[in-house]
Amino acid sequence: MLITSATIYPEELKKNLIDRGAGAYVSFEGWIRDQNDGQEVLRLEYEVYEPVAVAEGKKVIAGAMQKFPLLHVNCVHRSGLLEIGDCAVWVGVTSAHRDEAFSACRYIIDQVKVRLPIWKKEHYVAGHSDWVNCERCATHDHQHPQASVS
Amino acid sequence: MLITSATIYPEELKKNLIDRGAGAYVSFEGWIRDQNDGQEVLRLEYEVYEPVAVAEGKKVIAGAMQKFPLLHVNCVHRSGLLEIGDCAVWVGVTSAHRDEAFSACRYIIDQVKVRLPIWKKEHYVAGHSDWVNCERCATHDHQHPQASVS
Amino acid sequence: MKKNITVRYFAGFREHAGVSEEEVSLAVSNAGDVFERLKHRHGSEEPLGHCKVAVNDEMADWDAVVNDGDTVLLFPPVAGG
Amino acid sequence: MKKNITVRYFAGFREHAGVSEEEVSLAVSNAGDVFERLKHRHGSEEPLGHCKVAVNDEMADWDAVVNDGDTVLLFPPVAGG
């Protein structure tokens, strides 16, 4: 599991999954789309809390290796500013047969999306921006009250 | 759908599936394993009847495009002699969301394996060779009777 | 009435027949008949359902009618991927 | 009894609070208490179940005990991938 602010090169990452016993390689790439929920997206900003994201990602991968008879697995997730078409996340799996490679790849991306502390802010063509999944926690006209906690 | 005797380069093929509306890219690669059914494999030979394989492959892809909301799809299958680790088949799918990309990629490789006129002969380390899936149709000590059909 | 048919053998069938293609003259009505009548050529003991057939480069069912001048392609069990 | 806690805010929570981290002194027993007591800071109207929490860089349940000196990380609904 790796979090990186640099471009993801799946073909390079795939090399680490090569195995003479591998009959199947399944990969997933999440790309930045030009729209979401009917709004035109200009670019995307990923915020990642890396220490916990890496630890959770490793747990997801370990869980997949336990559930399915896999040979090699890896997952890389971007942080920072991404443009339309950029690869935000890559998951690669090799195994002897295709059934477990498909199942595990799907399992990993599903888990990564709900378990890792990663947030994306969509910047729209129309000018505003929003944290995805979080309609009620980031108001556009929010204020910054001074801490008055006791 | 393409049948080729040349090396498959998935990263090049992926470029044709790029789309600003694509949020998901799922790919499958079938690699030559070093063993099958407990026998050590030395290399593999694919025989493809290209006219029908291409036509059937196109039908499989058209079927997938009808079943799932996809953006782009392609499939390339090797013919000829392949070594351990070589990529024998590649399927790539892009779509807005990951669910249909996974389902379609799986659907396509499953259909390709059972519908296209492609056969593989495994050459074993032990010296003999066998057509896969065809225990009862290719005997090792077969004879070649002269045609006496009327 | 006999029909002149071009038969093509693939993979294990071709190896058994020792030729990839031959002209035959057979009294047959459908593709399944061709398969059965040419068992001594393709050598298959597989049930019909495991094999496939194409007539004139179109995938066909085993009960597809075969006409004089047709090309019948006999496919052993496939194993792509 | 009040506990000295370091709180870290992420994404929308950080933007609402205007700081990514602050020291607070709260009479709380678990992580859920911290979330509720700091609503005016992170501004979330999301139910607890939509958000996540880590204590000292370990993912935790909302009923995880928070001790004096702990760091509590408040995570808005995640959206990786």
Side-chain angles (χ1 to χ4, degrees):
Chain A
M1 182 74 219
L2 179 76
I3 303 295
T4 178
S5 61
T7 303
I8 293 175
Y9 294 104
E11 207 61 15
E12 288 304 306
L13 295 163
K14 187 173 73 173
K15 289 178 184 165
N16 296 317
L17 309 183
I18 288 172
D19 194 297
R20 288 175 58 87
Y25 167 70
V26 172
S27 75
F28 169 81
E29 294 179 28
W31 295 353
I32 307 300
R33 285 191 300 145
D34 63 358
Q35 52 175 313
N36 193 25
D37 275 334
Q39 300 205 74
E40 276 187 87
V41 175
L42 190 65
R43 63 174 61 86
L44 235 104
E45 203 181 327
Y46 280 93
E47 177 173 336
V48 181
Y49 183 57
E50 196 168 324
V52 173
V54 168
E56 280 295 292
K58 284 181 177 173
K59 282 182 200 167
V60 167
I61 289 171
M65 305 274 304
Q66 231 169 7
K67 283 173 80 80
F68 307 101
L70 310 175
L71 289 164
H72 305 285
V73 185
N74 206 356
C75 175
V76 178
H77 201 297
R78 283 287 304 269
S79 62
L81 209 59
L82 276 80
E83 305 289 331
I84 307 300
D86 283 353
C87 177
V89 57
W90 167 85
V91 180
V93 177
T94 51
S95 57
H97 302 284
R98 72 185 182 286
D99 195 40
E100 53 262 32
F102 273 105
S103 299
C105 189
R106 179 68 198 261
Y107 170 85
I108 291 165
I109 186 60
D110 286 356
Q111 292 282 307
V112 160
K113 278 176 179 259
V114 297
R115 283 175 55 179
L116 274 58
I118 299 178
W119 303 272
K120 56 184 167 198
K121 190 179 208 171
E122 287 179 341
H123 296 267
Y124 304 107
V125 172
H128 60 299
S129 61
D130 257 331
W131 291 101
V132 177
N133 270 11
C134 202
E135 303 83 1
R136 288 169 295 180
C137 58
T139 51
H140 307 312
D141 56 344
H142 62 266
Q143 308 188 347
H144 300 297
Q146 285 310 300
S148 64
V149 183
S150 62
Chain B
M1 184 72 219
L2 179 75
I3 303 295
T4 178
S5 60
T7 303
I8 293 176
Y9 293 104
E11 208 62 14
E12 287 304 307
L13 295 163
K14 186 173 75 174
K15 288 178 183 165
N16 297 316
L17 309 183
I18 287 173
D19 195 296
R20 289 174 59 86
Y25 167 69
V26 172
S27 75
F28 170 80
E29 295 179 28
W31 295 352
I32 307 300
R33 284 190 301 144
D34 63 357
Q35 52 177 311
N36 193 25
D37 275 333
Q39 300 205 75
E40 274 188 88
V41 175
L42 190 65
R43 64 174 61 86
L44 234 105
E45 204 182 327
Y46 279 93
E47 177 174 335
V48 181
Y49 183 58
E50 197 168 324
V52 174
V54 168
E56 279 295 293
K58 284 180 178 172
K59 283 182 198 165
V60 168
I61 288 171
M65 306 275 304
Q66 231 170 6
K67 283 173 78 83
F68 307 101
L70 309 176
L71 290 164
H72 305 283
V73 184
N74 206 356
C75 176
V76 178
H77 201 297
R78 284 288 302 271
S79 62
L81 209 61
L82 277 80
E83 305 289 329
I84 306 301
D86 282 353
C87 177
V89 56
W90 167 85
V91 180
V93 176
T94 51
S95 57
H97 302 283
R98 71 186 182 285
D99 196 38
E100 53 262 33
F102 272 105
S103 299
C105 189
R106 180 67 198 261
Y107 170 83
I108 291 164
I109 185 60
D110 285 355
Q111 292 282 308
V112 160
K113 278 175 178 260
V114 297
R115 284 175 53 180
L116 274 58
I118 299 178
W119 303 271
K120 57 185 165 195
K121 189 178 207 171
E122 287 179 341
H123 296 266
Y124 304 107
V125 172
H128 60 300
S129 62
D130 258 330
W131 291 101
V132 177
N133 271 11
C134 201
E135 303 83 0
R136 288 170 295 179
C137 58
T139 51
H140 307 312
D141 55 341
H142 61 267
Q143 306 185 348
H144 300 297
Q146 286 309 301
S148 62
V149 183
S150 62
Chain C
M1 219 199 71
K2 288 186 178 178
K3 297 168 181 170
N4 292 313
I5 299 163
T6 302
V7 182
R8 295 189 61 178
Y9 304 106
F10 293 85
F13 288 0
R14 185 192 61 249
E15 289 190 352
H16 190 276
V19 293
S20 60
E21 186 177 322
E22 62 188 355
E23 310 292 320
V24 296
S25 179
L26 294 173
V28 292
S29 61
N30 62 37
D33 296 338
V34 175
F35 184 88
E36 297 297 341
R37 287 291 305 280
L38 295 175
K39 270 203 166 161
H40 64 294
R41 300 293 295 146
H42 57 70
S44 180
E45 295 170 29
E46 296 275 350
L48 261 193
H50 289 189
C51 305
K52 289 179 189 293
V53 66
V55 177
N56 303 330
D57 276 1
E58 289 278 349
M59 293 301 296
D61 295 325
W62 286 111
D63 59 5
V65 170
V66 170
N67 296 308
D68 191 72
D70 279 352
T71 298
V72 176
L73 290 70
L74 298 180
F75 296 151
V78 301
Chain D
M1 219 198 69
K2 289 187 176 175
K3 298 168 183 172
N4 292 311
I5 298 163
T6 302
V7 182
R8 296 188 62 177
Y9 304 107
F10 294 85
F13 288 0
R14 184 192 61 250
E15 289 189 353
H16 190 275
V19 292
S20 60
E21 185 176 322
E22 63 188 355
E23 310 291 318
V24 296
S25 180
L26 295 172
V28 291
S29 61
N30 62 37
D33 296 339
V34 175
F35 184 88
E36 297 297 340
R37 286 294 305 281
L38 294 176
K39 269 203 165 157
H40 64 294
R41 299 294 293 148
H42 56 72
S44 179
E45 295 169 30
E46 296 275 351
L48 261 195
H50 291 188
C51 305
K52 290 179 187 292
V53 66
V55 177
N56 303 331
D57 276 0
E58 289 278 351
M59 293 302 295
D61 295 324
W62 287 111
D63 60 4
V65 171
V66 171
N67 296 309
D68 192 74
D70 278 351
T71 298
V72 175
L73 290 69
L74 298 179
F75 297 150
V78 299

